[in-house]
Amino acid sequence: MTQFMKLPPVKKVTSPVKKFLGLSLSMQILFGLIGGICVGLFFGERCGIMSIPATIFISFLQVAVIPYVLFSLIHGIGSLDRKSALKLAGAGGTILLAFWILALFYVAISQLAFPDWQSSRFFSETQVNTANAVDYYQLYIPSNPFYSLSNEMVPAIVVFSLLVGGCLIGVDYQRKKNLLNVLELIVELLSKLTHFIVRFTPLGVFAMAANAAGTMTAMDLGRVQVYLAAFILTSLLLAFLALPLLVSIFTPFRYRDFLRVSRDAMMTAFTTANLLVILPLVASGLKELMSSYDCHDDESEQLQQAILPVYFNFPDSGKMLSLIFILFAGWFTGHPLTASDYPLFMPTGLFGMFASANITIPFLLNLFSIPPDTFQIYLMAGIFNGNFGTLTAAVDIFAFTTLTICAMRGLLCFNWKYAVLAVAIIVGVSLPACKGIGLLLQNLLKPKDYVAEKLISMKISEPVETVIRDKPPGNFMNFNWLNVKLLKRITENGVLKIGYLENSMPFVYQNLYLPGKERNIPQGFESDMMNKLARDLECRLEYYPLKPDEIVRALNNNLVDIAIGGIGITLDTIEQYGLTDPVLTLHPAVIARFDKIKKFHNWNEVTKQKMKLAYSPRVIPLRTLKQVFPNATFVELKRITDFYQKKIEADACIISAEQGAAFDIMYPEYSYIVAHQINYTMLTAFAVNKTQTELIRFLNNWLRTQVSSGAMKKYYDYWILGKSGAPTAKRWCILDNIINPNL
């Protein structure tokens, strides 16, 4: 008999892809996050292209949200009978309102956790794009439901759904049964669609993480930690302090007992980040809690089964805490919300949270003119703080169900002394905790101001031959020069003479931080334009420093060909010298010390106060300012730096926001706000001799070619907005700084 050698069993080789797909979704998301961060750190700024798939994923994530809100609310409310609905509305409505107020209180105090960092940013066009006037009727009243749906008016959509669901309550069950079945099927289909899209979350997270890790500066990373700290702190305060104390105030259940029976639900919600899986744990925990106090019966079971499905259609405390991001985004980008914004922010945010935060957050960012690209930070941060939000939501559901059952069964009790003590504990712990975190972050995470480093490294690329004079042209009269055509003289002599106002950032200034001879060459937007003009005319540049009262003499005597320095088009300047077509449109702004600028957010009050304001007549007329500030006294600025260096006494300064942003980078103890209330359009131009009409026509035509070719936008993006495109240091990455530093 032939004997066969026994071979060892063949091991099945599982591909890495199958192993990855076999993991839980949370683990896949974690690997996507880690992989994206690694790719971003390796390739650096090259990962900026990953913003495209990240944006596509965000858009798909929002596909089913609005329809889901519409149909789920109608189905959830319409499924109730009249008696249950009235009873539940009376007891649950009051408790729900109290929970919302408590959550909004923690949203408001979260700002205390934001450090008082005096870092600056380049000017941003979003600061002057005033938000459209809010139509409150259209925002909250669904006069045209289809318009509300197409324009993502979430508050109006919620009101419409509540109205339809409320009307459906009064319909006989046999008549509405088929409609409810259809609505239930639609909700189920939309839920499946959302779950299908969520399956691609690891890829979306990978793209967002790669883009953020590759392009986000160290200062931005430090600021994101502020949002995480504020969110986690407020969620823990709500979950372990405020909500349990609220239950203990109004029910016979003690604080310690409530936390004990809700522990399993909290831990499960935190680890899985899924609220649906905790429903059985909430039911068993409630049964245990009420049984221990001898108040559990069949009625409690029935009420619990009715309350939980309906409450899932309303915003919980964990979801409401997402509104902290709007406050953070405003602080992060230098557009903080003020007290006057809260009457709009709070109710709009509350109604918006009936929908997904992925819809509401972009809507609110747009509503308050906060740069929309910050939404990616919200999604990234959600990976870290999402579990804490779910933890708070679990405690919220447990507490709401407990309080509502007690209210409907007549088990509520109230002790004034205990209530006052509990409120004192909530306020006395929460406020110092938030402020303490803010102070801790301010001392531990104060970021390096990379914006200032970028500003002092900015310079003109490929400068033409340039000669710098240390004083204005001589005070002599040459009659041959007076009659000459400057354009002809420029082309024949090969010299373009520029008079400039010193320290006129970001238009023309000398950057003393640059090495060698470059520190003497005037830099800035208008200097770069003059460099381009000289290159086009094939001539060299000569720069002459001018004081404001020397411009007219220098131009009229043809001592300089063009004068630059953010010279505004006003009635006075039009009368004094010739001006080209407008070069830039600027926006009025108020500049003040960082600790004083906040009072200018309350514009109606500040315009009534007596104060001393500095201004430049070359930028904005005095008569315009007197109309806005009738009680103020004004002092004329010879140089803008006189205000920053405290050479004149003034409470604030009125200049353009574009200039204010540049100066604030160099003087971080100052800040500015765009003064939309000053109804004046600031226009700048190049100044020339009024008699040199040929040169004016030439410059106007040349400016049009710079606009059409895109050169003007390139200079504006670089010098005014601080965007890339010029010789600035690259973002650190492994590929460039470790593997191949000479690449």
Side-chain angles (χ1 to χ4, degrees):
M1 187 174 180
T2 306
Q3 292 184 349
F4 296 95
M5 184 170 49
K6 191 175 182 180
L7 297 175
V10 179
K11 293 183 178 179
K12 292 183 179 180
V13 180
T14 307
S15 67
V17 176
K18 287 186 177 180
K19 286 184 178 180
F20 178 78
L21 294 177
L23 297 173
S24 64
L25 181 62
S26 58
M27 288 301 298
Q28 291 179 16
I29 293 173
L30 180 61
F31 278 112
L33 172 65
I34 296 172
I37 292 174
C38 293
V39 169
L41 292 176
F42 187 86
F43 291 103
E45 292 179 348
R46 299 174 183 86
C47 289
I49 196 172
M50 298 301 287
S51 64
I52 297 174
T55 304
I56 292 173
F57 170 72
I58 293 170
S59 300
F60 270 108
L61 205 59
Q62 299 170 346
V63 166
V65 174
I66 293 295
Y68 183 85
V69 172
L70 176 69
F71 294 114
S72 64
L73 268 177
I74 295 175
H75 176 265
I77 297 173
S79 300
L80 299 172
D81 59 76
R82 188 187 301 272
K83 183 179 178 181
S84 300
L86 290 174
K87 198 173 181 180
L88 182 58
T94 305
I95 297 169
L96 186 61
L97 182 61
F99 275 39
W100 286 343
I101 293 173
L102 185 63
L104 291 175
F105 165 75
Y106 277 96
V107 170
I109 68 170
S110 66
Q111 289 191 106
L112 297 175
F114 300 162
D116 193 16
W117 286 336
Q118 298 179 8
S119 57
S120 303
R121 289 178 176 270
F122 283 97
F123 174 76
S124 171
E125 291 173 316
T126 58
Q127 296 171 268
V128 297
N129 294 335
T130 55
N132 296 327
V134 179
D135 187 342
Y136 292 95
Y137 297 107
Q138 198 172 70
L139 185 61
Y140 291 103
I141 300 175
S143 56
N144 183 348
F146 297 102
Y147 178 85
S148 301
L149 287 166
S150 61
N151 289 275
E152 297 181 353
M153 299 284 190
V154 178
I157 295 169
V158 171
V159 171
F160 175 76
S161 304
L162 293 174
L163 291 174
V164 175
C167 292
L168 198 57
I169 291 174
V171 179
D172 182 70
Y173 180 76
Q174 292 301 322
R175 292 182 59 193
K176 66 181 180 181
K177 180 173 65 174
N178 292 334
L179 176 59
L180 291 174
N181 290 336
V182 172
L183 291 173
E184 186 178 9
L185 178 61
I186 293 174
V187 171
E188 185 179 346
L189 290 174
L190 292 172
S191 180
K192 286 184 177 181
L193 174 59
T194 302
H195 280 89
F196 172 75
I197 297 171
V198 167
R199 289 170 60 185
F200 295 93
T201 300
L203 296 177
V205 168
F206 173 84
M208 289 185 289
N211 178 51
T215 60
M216 191 176 287
T217 65
M219 182 172 64
D220 289 341
L221 288 173
R223 287 174 174 254
V224 170
Q225 293 178 57
V226 172
Y227 170 59
L228 294 176
F231 186 95
I232 293 172
L233 175 64
T234 50
S235 66
L236 293 177
L237 287 171
L238 259 173
F240 292 99
L241 179 69
L243 290 173
L245 278 176
L246 198 62
V247 172
S248 65
I249 292 174
F250 293 99
T251 69
F253 311 128
R254 289 185 298 179
Y255 173 88
R256 182 173 53 190
D257 293 333
F258 176 82
L259 284 181
R260 177 178 53 80
V261 298
S262 61
R263 183 174 52 202
D264 291 343
M266 285 193 290
M267 290 301 297
T268 304
F270 179 76
T271 54
T272 64
N274 190 328
L275 282 178
L276 292 176
V277 300
I278 70 165
L279 291 183
L281 297 174
V282 171
S284 60
L286 275 170
K287 183 177 180 180
E288 180 183 350
L289 179 63
M290 301 189 80
S291 297
S292 63
Y293 283 79
D294 296 325
C295 54
H296 178 73
D297 55 19
D298 293 338
E299 184 182 359
S300 299
E301 289 279 356
Q302 294 172 358
L303 288 173
Q304 172 193 301
Q305 293 173 6
I307 292 169
L308 285 176
V310 175
Y311 187 56
F312 258 82
N313 293 293
F314 292 87
D316 56 65
S317 298
K319 197 174 184 181
M320 294 285 289
L321 290 182
S322 300
L323 295 175
I324 293 174
F325 182 79
I326 301 300
L327 302 178
F328 164 78
W331 171 83
F332 180 81
T333 58
H335 310 108
L337 269 67
T338 63
S340 60
D341 293 321
Y342 274 69
L344 175 61
F345 169 61
M346 290 298 188
T348 305
L350 171 60
F351 274 91
M353 286 302 153
F354 277 84
S356 168
N358 293 338
I359 286 286
T360 304
I361 296 300
F363 173 77
L364 292 173
L365 291 174
N366 178 66
L367 186 64
F368 294 103
S369 300
I370 299 173
D373 54 357
T374 54
F375 181 58
Q376 289 197 22
I377 299 177
Y378 170 78
L379 292 175
M380 281 288 301
I383 299 169
F384 300 100
N385 61 24
N387 296 67
F388 289 93
T390 311
L391 167 68
T392 306
V395 180
D396 179 281
I397 292 171
F398 210 116
F400 177 83
T401 308
T402 303
L403 283 166
T404 305
I405 290 175
C406 289
M408 296 178 74
R409 292 195 55 205
L411 297 176
L412 291 182
C413 58
F414 185 75
N415 185 310
W416 274 106
K417 291 183 179 180
Y418 185 69
V420 171
L421 177 61
V423 171
I425 292 174
I426 292 173
V427 176
V429 173
S430 300
L431 292 178
C434 289
K435 188 61 179 177
I437 286 292
L439 293 174
L440 182 65
L441 293 174
Q442 184 167 339
N443 293 321
L444 293 181
L445 298 179
K446 188 170 184 179
K448 189 177 181 180
D449 197 346
Y450 291 93
V451 177
E453 285 191 359
K454 182 174 183 179
L455 178 65
I456 63 179
S457 68
M458 295 172 73
K459 61 182 180 180
I460 295 173
S461 60
E462 301 180 2
V464 300
E465 182 184 348
T466 304
V467 177
I468 310 300
R469 306 299 184 186
D470 57 359
K471 57 184 178 180
N475 189 16
F476 60 88
M477 191 71 70
N478 187 322
F479 291 98
N480 292 327
W481 277 27
L482 291 176
N483 298 322
V484 75
K485 291 185 177 180
L486 290 183
L487 185 59
K488 182 179 180 182
R489 189 187 75 181
I490 293 168
T491 54
E492 287 181 353
N493 296 343
V495 179
L496 178 62
K497 297 184 177 183
I498 306 297
Y500 68 98
L501 297 172
E502 295 180 288
N503 297 320
S504 297
M505 288 198 305
F507 310 119
V508 53
Y509 62 97
Q510 288 177 305
N511 188 348
L512 300 180
Y513 294 93
L514 293 176
K517 296 181 179 179
E518 289 182 330
R519 69 177 56 189
N520 297 320
I521 298 176
Q523 309 292 333
F525 171 80
E526 292 183 355
S527 297
D528 218 343
M529 294 288 291
M530 292 299 100
N531 186 77
K532 179 67 164 60
L533 177 61
R535 185 173 297 282
D536 291 345
L537 292 174
E538 298 181 351
C539 62
R540 70 176 188 271
L541 282 171
E542 283 188 9
Y543 277 101
Y544 295 87
L546 296 175
K547 295 178 181 178
D549 55 5
E550 295 174 335
I551 297 177
V552 176
R553 179 187 65 83
L555 290 174
N556 290 345
N557 293 342
N558 291 338
L559 302 178
V560 296
D561 305 317
I562 304 172
I564 62 175
I567 298 172
I569 301 178
T570 66
L571 291 178
D572 293 336
T573 56
I574 291 173
E575 184 180 348
Q576 290 176 339
Y577 27 76
L579 296 168
T580 64
D581 290 341
V583 177
L584 287 177
T585 300
L586 307 181
H587 306 84
V590 178
I591 318 296
R593 288 188 62 85
F594 196 82
D595 55 345
K596 294 182 179 180
I597 194 65
K598 292 181 180 179
K599 71 177 182 180
F600 285 92
H601 288 290
N602 191 347
W603 195 263
N604 292 330
E605 290 297 323
V606 79
T607 53
K608 300 175 184 177
Q609 298 178 7
K610 292 183 179 181
M611 64 180 73
K612 182 180 285 188
L613 298 176
Y615 81 104
S616 172
R618 300 180 309 280
V619 176
I620 186 168
L622 178 60
R623 56 183 172 275
T624 300
L625 294 177
K626 285 185 175 180
Q627 293 174 0
V628 181
F629 301 97
N631 299 320
T633 57
F634 296 90
V635 55
E636 183 177 329
L637 282 172
K638 298 298 182 184
R639 295 183 302 179
I640 294 177
T641 52
D642 290 346
F643 172 74
Y644 286 93
Q645 296 172 358
K646 301 179 182 179
K647 294 181 179 180
I648 61 169
E649 290 186 10
D651 297 304
C653 174
I654 310 295
I655 57 175
S656 69
E658 289 78 358
Q659 282 188 293
F663 276 103
D664 287 357
I665 295 173
M666 302 308 298
Y667 298 90
E669 65 271 21
Y670 288 83
S671 186
Y672 73 98
I673 60 169
V674 178
H676 298 292
Q677 296 82 355
I678 299 179
N679 189 20
Y680 183 81
T681 302
M682 294 179 170
L683 301 174
T684 66
F686 301 143
V688 295
N689 188 321
K690 292 179 71 172
T691 64
Q692 298 292 331
T693 55
E694 183 181 9
L695 178 59
I696 294 175
R697 284 197 302 270
F698 170 79
L699 289 175
N700 288 337
N701 290 327
W702 180 80
L703 285 171
R704 294 187 190 100
T705 63
Q706 302 312 298
V707 173
S708 60
S709 68
M712 180 90 79
K713 185 178 186 306
K714 183 183 75 172
Y715 299 138
Y716 180 85
D717 288 348
Y718 180 54
W719 293 104
I720 309 297
L721 304 183
K723 293 183 179 179
S724 59
T728 55
K730 283 187 176 181
R731 165 78 154 76
W732 183 94
C733 69
I734 296 173
L735 180 61
D736 294 335
N737 296 82
I738 296 179
I739 296 178
N740 193 356
N742 298 319
L743 185 64

